[in-house]
Amino acid sequence: MSDFFNAGWSIYIGAITVAGLVFCLVLLMVASRRKVMANDNTTGHVWDEDLREMNNPLPRWWMGLFVITVVFAVGYLALYPGLGSAQGTLGWSSTGQWQAEQDKAHQAMSPIYADLVGKPVEELAKNPKAMAIGERLFANTCAQCHGADGRGSKSFPNLTDRDWLGSNIDQLPQYIHKTIVEGRSGVMPPMAAAVGSGDEVRNVAQYVLSLSGSPHNEIAAQLGKPKFAACAACHGVDGKGNPAIGAPNLTDKIWLHGWGEPAILAMINQGKTNVMPPQGQRLTPEQIEVLTAYVWSLSQSTQVAGR
């Protein structure tokens, strides 16, 4: 009942449930006390001259089954949730059941990670067992967005290169661990109003293309350079970005959200919000350590990763 807006919904559901049970009992009592309306045990209704509706009582087995059903419902509602927000005397909940199953599964898996816990990512990345486990964790948790090979796609970062928006390369293991646990939200606000008119926005787009040596209009790029000052607060005066706030480096040739003037114009005019959901509640600390090492290994050389 936690999804309801207020306690009134809980009372409403509980009242309907109780009313349904009371109605069943009343119906049972009325049916059991129904009297014969004619001397010939009929209701007095006749169709097609000789078809008469009989007034026979309900079979005993049906009445007994009806009573058992109502008693079972009352007992169930006393033991388990069902009457609005009432938890039941057993205190059972689907969330508690799920957590118990998760704890049981984690306890069963703990011996597998016993010799992997507490080791640095560099060492885990050379451990075939850790990498085999990490690969499966990655397939189940990360591959839906980043791809089975970790190379990502448009708007989903490539984890196999060494371009990391929120971290310097020397702090990468800690950053990967933090991102897996807490998730990440990257926001590029719309900047068209700060840049100027439509032509000025296009000029800035051409300047951004020039920063990475991409094909561009040199004259438009020079006109857009002064207006790039509106972007420098995040991307830097030289366009090399700021890992501390996750601002991309615009001087390389890595384009997360698409390449070319149309893609850059869309970013300037509309902005962009990207969300990496947190996985800290889904994975155990041991699993997070191994997955961190596996993701780190994707961006390392074959010799370092041992793969």
Side-chain angles (χ1 to χ4, degrees), residues 191-192 194-212 214-231 250 255 260-262 264-266 268-269:
M191 297 297 295
V195 170
S197 66
D199 287 339
E200 289 173 319
V201 171
R202 282 189 288 273
N203 291 339
V204 170
Q206 289 298 316
Y207 178 71
V208 170
L209 287 171
S210 73
L211 291 174
S212 61
S214 300
H216 62 280
N217 183 314
E218 184 63 35
I219 296 176
Q222 289 303 314
L223 292 174
K225 183 176 181 179
K227 292 294 183 178
F228 184 78
C231 313
L250 303 178
W255 302 89
E261 183 181 280
I264 297 174
L265 288 176
I268 297 174
N269 289 321

Side-chain angles (χ1 to χ4, degrees), residues 49 129 204 290 294:
E49 298 182 359
K129 175 183 174 181
V204 170
V290 173
Y294 178 79

Side-chain angles (χ1 to χ4, degrees), residues 5 25 27 46 80 97 123 141 157 165 200-201 237 241 243 247 284:
F5 297 107
L25 292 174
L27 181 62
V46 181
Y80 295 96
Q97 180 70 23
E123 185 175 343
T141 308
L165 295 180
E200 289 173 319
V201 171
V237 177
T284 66

Side-chain angles (χ1 to χ4, degrees), residues 58-69:
L58 293 172
R60 288 182 177 274
W61 67 265
W62 193 94
M63 296 285 286
L65 185 61
F66 205 121
V67 172
I68 292 173
T69 301

Side-chain angles (χ1 to χ4, degrees), residues 21-34:
L21 289 174
V22 172
F23 175 78
C24 290
L25 292 174
V26 171
L27 181 62
L28 185 61
M29 294 173 60
V30 170
S32 65
R33 295 180 180 180
R34 188 171 184 180

Side-chain angles (χ1 to χ4, degrees), residues 20-306:
L21 289 174
V22 172
F23 175 78
C24 290
L25 292 174
V26 171
L27 181 62
L28 185 61
M29 294 173 60
V30 170
S32 65
R33 295 180 180 180
R34 188 171 184 180
K35 297 181 180 180
V36 177
M37 300 176 64
N39 294 330
D40 57 355
N41 193 34
T42 68
T43 63
H45 298 159
V46 181
W47 293 271
D48 292 337
E49 298 182 359
D50 60 350
L51 295 179
R52 299 177 183 276
E53 181 182 1
M54 303 303 292
N55 191 37
N56 295 324
L58 293 172
R60 288 182 177 274
W61 67 265
W62 193 94
M63 296 285 286
L65 185 61
F66 205 121
V67 172
I68 292 173
T69 301
V70 173
V71 172
F72 175 83
V74 173
Y76 182 91
L77 292 174
L79 296 174
Y80 295 96
L83 290 175
S85 60
Q87 297 299 310
T89 57
L90 294 182
W92 182 91
S93 68
S94 57
T95 301
Q97 180 70 23
W98 176 84
Q99 188 60 55
E101 293 175 358
Q102 290 294 304
D103 293 341
K104 183 178 179 181
H106 294 162
Q107 185 177 4
M109 290 188 299
S110 58
I112 300 175
Y113 295 91
D115 58 340
L116 303 176
V117 178
K119 295 184 178 180
V121 295
E122 294 84 357
E123 185 175 343
L124 288 176
K126 296 178 182 179
N127 187 316
K129 175 183 174 181
M131 291 299 94
I133 295 174
E135 185 175 19
R136 289 172 175 80
L137 290 172
F138 186 87
N140 292 332
T141 308
C142 316
Q144 295 86 340
C145 295
H146 295 285
D149 57 0
R151 294 184 180 276
S153 61
K154 184 178 179 180
S155 297
F156 297 102
N158 181 354
L159 303 179
T160 66
D161 59 22
R162 298 176 69 82
D163 182 69
W164 296 84
L165 295 180
S167 172
N168 293 314
I169 199 68
D170 58 338
Q171 299 174 332
L172 189 53
Q174 299 92 322
Y175 174 71
I176 294 174
H177 187 280
K178 178 181 174 66
T179 303
I180 292 174
V181 173
E182 301 177 4
R184 184 177 182 275
S185 180
V187 179
M188 156 76 180
M191 297 297 295
V195 170
S197 66
D199 287 339
E200 289 173 319
V201 171
R202 282 189 288 273
N203 291 339
V204 170
Q206 289 298 316
Y207 178 71
V208 170
L209 287 171
S210 73
L211 291 174
S212 61
S214 300
H216 62 280
N217 183 314
E218 184 63 35
I219 296 176
Q222 289 303 314
L223 292 174
K225 183 176 181 179
K227 292 294 183 178
F228 184 78
C231 313
C234 295
H235 296 283
V237 177
D238 55 2
K240 292 187 177 181
N242 184 350
I245 61 174
N249 180 357
L250 303 178
T251 66
D252 56 22
K253 293 180 183 273
I254 299 174
W255 302 89
L256 178 59
H257 302 292
W259 174 85
E261 183 181 280
I264 297 174
L265 288 176
M267 291 292 291
I268 297 174
N269 289 321
Q270 303 169 18
K272 188 76 175 181
T273 298
N274 251 26
V275 177
M276 152 78 180
Q279 304 296 325
Q281 296 297 319
R282 296 186 59 215
L283 303 174
T284 66
E286 297 85 356
Q287 289 174 323
I288 293 173
E289 284 191 35
V290 173
L291 182 57
T292 297
Y294 178 79
V295 173
W296 177 83
S297 75
L298 293 175
S299 63
Q300 307 304 306
S301 65
T302 304
Q303 291 77 13
V304 172

